[in-house]
Amino acid sequence: MAPEPEQLSSLSNPLATVDQLSTSSSQLDGVPADLEGSLRFAGAKLTQAAGILLRLPQEIIAQAIVIFYRFYLGSEGGSFRINAVKDVSAASLYMTAKISFLPQSTRSVLNVYAYLLSPTSPLRQPSEGITGKEKPDAESYYLSEGSYHSARATLLQTESILLRSISFITQVTLPHHLALTYLQTLGVLPPSPTTKSSALAARTLAHLNTALFSPQLLYLTHQPPHLAVSAIYLAAREVGVKLPSMEWWEVFDVDRETLGFLVVGLGSCEGWIEGENEKWTEISCPLTLDELEEEIRRRDVENG
Amino acid sequence: MASHSKSRWADDEEDAALEAQRKREKELKRKVKAEKQRKLEEQESLRRQNPVDATEDATHDHEAINGAAERPFKRRKLSPEPDTPLKELPPAKLLRFPAPEWGPCRHVDNFEKLNHIEEGSYGWVSRAKETATGGIVALKKLKMDNSNDGFPVTGLREIQTLMASRHTNIVALREVVMGDKLDDVFLVMDFLEHDLKTLQEDMLDAFSPSEIKTLLLQLTSAVDYLHSNWILHRDLKTSNLLMNNRGQLKVADFGMARYYGDPPPKLTQLVVTLWYRAPELLLGAEKYGAEIDLWSVGCIFGELLTKDPLLQGKNEVDQLSKIFELCGIPTEATWPGFKRLPNARSLRLPSISQTTGNVLRAKFPLLTTAGSALLTSLLSPNPAQRPTASEVLAHPYFREDPKPKSTAMFPTFPSKAGQEKRRRLASPSAPKRGDAPRIAGEAADFSGIFANRDTEEVGGGFALKLI
């Protein structure tokens, strides 16, 4: 008997519709499409960095990034010109942690974001890093009591706005654990790991984490089994592990076409990320509303 | 196995001989079978060694299509050019995953409020009609506690766990809608006519044994579903069990529900309404699990039998003493380590063995042996001794007579939540002393016969309309 579709929620996610992918609230507000892509990437990077500083497991960070993407999607979603990248990133991380086993206080979240947005933050530095400079100025990321209270008000308000625009669907199923199960099913992850099998598993998970930054929003367009299978396919090729010479992906309900698309998508992530890092060497990608307005003005001037 | 157990009617020697005979026959049969298998295999290998001619190939293909076991043949085909045999495979049937969508919440104006139902622990519930479709739903407004942590985590968990729970015996969350203020959030759920508590208050007799079994089975299958999805309900009680007029029970109010794990994360002990709260929670256990829900199921079972809540403690201490009175005082033997629980140290327990007995059996004399065994196990003070939900579902109590009643055969009741009332017919009282009424003059005037229709009590369902 085929399982009821409703029983598959532990394997699947809500996906973006074609309409949601073709237009966005930000574009309607006059944010150029390429800038929108950069803002998404910067937001995901910010969330990942904050999650690491808060010592949250990758599971919660990945879920927060997916929820961050969900918010800005579609013409009815949020707009980068109304809700700043930094606020939505903080709200999604705070909210995701709240319903997890590792809730975080508003103070720790806001402290981390204050640091990451300060001029001393590694995210705000050109790629050379801060090695050559003097000690980072602690004043620049100190959160005074007054600014803490106003920042908290913004955080909590953004949380409500975020929840409303994703209609409270906070469930995000990740492909990571599926990928490990699939590797075991394929017989390439023996109980006592070899160097090769460990490398394969690590590479698979690395691809899944990189896919979080894909401009194609792979986590919003593809189901977890699809992502897991394509990450395994790519990782096995790179590590040189032989997988069954038949259409094994069909066992996991993935067709050849989807697999091909995703493998190309995963493979293109590296180039995109390098491009983004090069693009924002002179100035850092706008994370606040003021910075975004300035960037849009600058572009208007450039284009005459 | 008559031959194994010694029967005093049987002659031992004869029995042994018979057994030996049977054994020999069995051995013989096994040998014949093995021989047959061996011969088959030999033939097979012979065939494989022979060069495959055209006709045989055809038969093989035919067999392969029919799914006959031709493994070695297939395997050989797979070697250097994997594409040729694969193309012959029919396209695989792949599972398509459901992909619901998301968008902003709709506004609560899409619903028209009909009447107020109740105030639960985490919000107000009212009956409402969706203006576009005319469908009747229950609208639950989430209570916003004024804490500093933003959107209340209980509300988020309620939505999260309800969305993840799709089961016939769990009330369905249709969507979440919003009001004008950022704090106004409403859950749109299926409307059910009754909750078990109000229903029982209005009933003259308790549910029949067969009805209790059906209710209990439905409740337990919902609990089993929740636990297998790592969700704790943490507030099971009769007022949170809804029922419709088709005898279906649905678990509602997930205001206390949350995901748990193994090992369990640190959880708050301030859960579950006092009368349904498990002893380990009352004793302040740091870690607890699915067993607390099964204690509540036991309390509900007892309540269904008598129509009254089983353990009505006035406060935590009173609740504990009522539990020990009914289920016996735990000892180091029945509940290892219970003395080390935070609140157990301050307890002064009588050490006389007479008072430590379990009086459940005496309290429910009409319950069958299986029934009281189930109730006793659900209400074991030691959480480790309580059965899991799936063990309850398999309990012999549900298989013995009277069998669980089919939900379709359940009686229906007027719904309080739907503002239905029992039709009360005013029966005439005995004639009063005085003159016997004269019919002649007044009785000719029947104009008043349909007067006062408005003041009459109207039932919810079917009523003749006068035009």
Side-chain angles (χ1 to χ4, degrees):
Chain A
M1 207 176 77
E4 287 289 313
E6 283 127 8
Q7 289 169 349
L8 289 169
S9 66
S10 55
L11 281 180
S12 64
N13 277 322
L15 294 185
T17 62
V18 176
D19 278 352
Q20 277 175 326
L21 290 170
S22 58
T23 55
S24 80
S25 184
S26 308
Q27 283 176 27
L28 295 176
D29 279 351
V31 179
D34 74 302
L35 182 57
E36 190 187 21
S38 293
L39 289 170
R40 276 203 190 110
F41 173 70
K45 209 160 89 170
L46 179 63
T47 317
Q48 177 76 51
I52 291 171
L53 289 183
L54 285 165
R55 300 204 178 98
L56 288 171
Q58 181 63 16
E59 182 186 8
I60 297 174
I61 302 173
Q63 287 174 330
I65 292 176
V66 172
I67 284 175
F68 170 86
Y69 284 147
R70 281 185 192 169
F71 174 75
Y72 284 115
L73 206 70
S75 56
E76 289 183 308
S79 159
F80 282 110
R81 278 185 107 160
I82 296 169
N83 296 107
V85 172
K86 71 170 177 71
D87 294 335
V88 177
S89 161
S92 37
L93 193 60
Y94 174 65
M95 195 272 296
T96 315
K98 193 197 280 188
I99 51 175
S100 77
F101 291 163
L102 289 166
Q104 298 294 312
S105 69
T106 46
R107 197 177 281 275
S108 345
V109 171
L110 291 172
N111 276 340
V112 161
Y113 274 86
Y115 169 67
L116 287 175
L117 290 163
S118 72
T120 40
S121 146
L123 290 182
R124 297 291 204 163
Q125 302 292 325
S127 41
E128 294 87 59
I130 46 171
T131 42
K133 287 182 190 156
E134 68 272 19
K135 250 185 126 185
D137 181 14
E139 286 274 319
S140 66
Y141 54 85
Y142 172 69
L143 195 62
S144 72
E145 200 59 16
S147 37
Y148 164 67
H149 280 288
S150 70
R152 200 188 65 186
T154 314
L155 172 69
L156 302 186
Q157 198 197 5
T158 315
E159 184 194 25
S160 279
I161 296 170
L162 166 74
L163 283 168
R164 286 170 162 228
S165 34
I166 57 170
S167 53
F168 287 86
I169 302 177
T170 54
Q171 177 242 343
V172 179
T173 305
L174 294 174
H176 298 62
H177 59 284
L178 278 178
L180 293 182
T181 313
Y182 290 178
L183 283 172
Q184 285 172 336
T185 313
L186 289 165
V188 288
L189 205 61
S192 50
T194 60
T195 37
K196 211 160 195 184
S197 75
S198 310
L200 175 64
R203 197 71 196 138
T204 305
L205 293 182
H207 274 304
L208 289 176
N209 286 331
T210 309
L212 281 167
F213 298 95
S214 157
Q216 291 162 309
L217 303 176
L218 298 178
Y219 276 71
L220 272 60
T221 52
H222 288 83
Q223 295 292 8
H226 302 169
L227 294 170
V229 161
S230 39
I232 291 173
Y233 183 91
L234 208 56
R237 284 206 153 186
E238 288 167 357
V239 178
V241 171
K242 209 171 170 313
L243 292 176
S245 55
M246 41 162 56
E247 304 198 331
W248 56 271
W249 44 87
E250 289 193 342
V251 176
F252 306 115
D253 300 301
V254 182
D255 56 30
R256 180 187 280 276
E257 202 181 332
T258 314
L259 175 68
F261 176 86
L262 280 173
V263 166
V264 173
L266 287 176
S268 69
C269 280
E270 198 181 343
W272 151 261
I273 291 167
E274 271 170 13
E276 274 303 301
N277 287 339
E278 265 169 42
K279 197 165 154 190
W280 301 101
T281 43
E282 304 263 314
I283 43 162
S284 57
C285 186
L287 297 173
T288 65
L289 288 183
D290 292 344
E291 287 171 5
L292 177 60
E293 292 309 316
E294 201 176 308
E295 171 68 21
I296 291 174
R297 254 200 313 278
R298 194 183 61 82
R299 290 191 175 209
D300 285 345
V301 171
E302 260 179 24
N303 300 334
Chain B
M1 290 288 148
S3 53
H4 288 300
S5 62
K6 254 194 175 178
S7 160
R8 60 194 164 106
W9 307 105
D11 179 13
D12 273 357
E13 259 176 65
E14 220 175 272
D15 252 16
L18 249 169
E19 176 124 30
Q21 170 77 15
R22 236 177 273 149
K23 240 182 191 169
R24 271 200 302 277
E25 276 172 10
K26 214 169 169 186
E27 199 57 37
L28 209 73
K29 271 184 199 163
R30 208 177 285 152
K31 265 185 190 160
V32 171
K33 228 176 188 177
E35 182 68 16
K36 229 178 179 177
Q37 184 70 27
R38 200 179 54 79
K39 270 185 186 163
L40 257 171
E41 270 167 14
E42 248 174 306
Q43 272 182 358
E44 194 83 2
S45 61
L46 254 169
R47 238 184 354 170
R48 250 179 277 146
Q49 274 158 18
N50 288 342
V52 189
D53 60 30
T55 48
E56 233 184 17
D57 206 355
T59 58
H60 277 301
D61 273 356
H62 187 68
E63 272 167 11
I65 287 164
N66 285 340
E70 280 288 324
R71 288 251 171 75
F73 199 77
K74 261 183 154 177
R75 217 173 274 153
R76 210 177 48 180
K77 266 185 167 181
L78 261 174
S79 41
E81 66 253 290
D83 277 9
T84 32
L86 285 177
K87 271 177 191 158
E88 292 162 18
L89 282 173
K93 276 189 198 138
L94 301 183
L95 191 62
R96 290 285 139 233
F97 295 96
E101 297 160 9
W102 73 89
C105 294
R106 291 201 297 162
H107 197 273
V108 73
D109 283 352
N110 289 300
F111 297 88
E112 180 193 335
K113 274 185 199 171
L114 297 176
N115 63 281
H116 189 74
I117 303 176
E118 57 162 342
E119 184 175 334
S121 48
Y122 280 89
W124 299 266
V125 186
S126 54
R127 193 167 68 113
K129 188 167 85 175
E130 187 173 0
T131 345
T133 60
I136 300 291
V137 296
L139 266 190
K140 176 173 179 176
K141 185 173 189 284
L142 278 189
K143 257 187 192 169
M144 293 288 156
D145 48 357
N146 295 319
S147 72
N148 297 326
D149 298 331
F151 201 93
V153 67
T154 48
L156 279 179
R157 286 204 191 117
E158 175 166 16
I159 297 171
Q160 183 193 25
T161 48
L162 263 178
M163 272 182 181
S165 308
R166 298 287 165 87
H167 189 265
T168 36
N169 297 118
I170 295 171
V171 71
L173 174 65
R174 298 187 179 182
E175 62 176 305
V176 182
V177 295
M178 59 187 183
D180 290 325
K181 286 188 290 172
L182 265 183
D183 279 358
D184 291 347
V185 176
F186 302 86
L187 308 189
V188 183
M189 288 179 291
D190 286 349
F191 173 75
L192 279 93
E193 288 88 348
H194 313 283
D195 70 82
L196 267 186
K197 182 164 176 276
T198 339
L199 195 57
Q200 279 194 320
E201 280 167 4
D202 289 358
M203 282 166 61
L204 296 175
D205 300 311
F207 285 105
S208 72
S210 60
E211 287 165 355
I212 290 175
K213 280 184 194 178
T214 310
L215 292 174
L216 211 56
L217 274 178
Q218 296 187 67
L219 168 63
T220 316
S221 79
V223 173
D224 183 35
Y225 175 86
L226 290 178
H227 290 175
S228 56
N229 282 290
W230 295 99
I231 297 171
L232 287 180
H233 186 279
R234 303 202 296 181
D235 198 15
L236 291 172
K237 54 178 173 180
T238 41
S239 57
N240 283 344
L241 303 181
L242 307 184
M243 219 181 107
N244 63 15
N245 272 333
R246 293 173 299 285
Q248 267 181 337
L249 177 146
K250 285 180 200 269
V251 176
D253 199 344
F254 278 54
M256 295 263 187
R258 67 159 293 157
Y259 278 100
Y260 69 108
D262 186 18
K266 209 166 172 267
L267 305 165
T268 168
Q269 291 134 33
L270 253 185
V271 288
V272 193
T273 307
L274 184 63
W275 293 350
Y276 303 86
R277 200 180 296 162
E280 66 265 30
L281 290 172
L282 291 162
L283 290 170
E286 289 273 311
K287 286 185 173 171
Y288 58 85
E291 303 88 12
I292 62 152
D293 279 344
L294 285 142
W295 175 271
S296 308
V297 171
C299 294
I300 291 166
F301 186 14
E303 182 170 343
L304 289 173
L305 291 167
T306 57
K307 221 161 76 69
D308 270 320
L310 191 60
L311 297 155
Q312 307 185 33
K314 289 184 204 69
N315 50 42
E316 274 83 353
V317 177
D318 190 36
Q319 184 70 25
L320 259 184
S321 69
K322 287 215 155 63
I323 290 173
F324 291 160
E325 213 175 284
L326 185 71
C327 314
I329 294 170
T331 58
E332 216 32 56
T334 59
W335 187 354
F338 107 95
K339 286 246 166 79
R340 284 189 295 281
L341 288 173
N343 300 345
R345 290 185 207 114
S346 53
L347 286 180
R348 272 179 300 140
L349 298 170
S351 50
I352 320 148
S353 58
Q354 277 105 358
T355 53
T356 58
N358 187 317
V359 294
L360 271 171
R361 194 74 227 252
K363 197 175 153 94
F364 300 100
L366 292 178
L367 204 56
T368 60
T369 315
S372 62
L374 176 61
L375 184 59
T376 314
S377 64
L378 282 169
L379 293 178
S380 358
N382 180 1
Q385 281 166 6
R386 272 170 237 154
T388 64
S390 51
E391 282 164 7
V392 174
L393 287 175
H395 200 275
Y397 170 63
F398 297 108
R399 287 198 304 275
E400 66 181 19
D401 284 327
K403 294 274 192 300
K405 194 182 228 175
S406 150
T407 50
M409 300 291 288
F410 256 67
T412 59
F413 310 91
S415 160
K416 262 207 173 159
Q419 290 197 319
E420 295 169 356
K421 284 176 190 149
R422 232 176 258 279
R423 209 177 257 256
R424 235 179 298 145
L425 291 174
S427 56
S429 45
K432 293 199 175 74
R433 265 181 184 279
D435 295 336
R438 283 170 299 126
I439 286 178
E442 291 158 28
D445 180 20
F446 284 106
S447 61
I449 208 167
F450 293 127
N452 299 328
R453 287 289 303 182
D454 312 337
T455 57
E456 210 168 285
E457 293 227 39
V458 183
F462 176 77
L464 276 180
K465 202 171 184 183
L466 286 165
I467 304 162

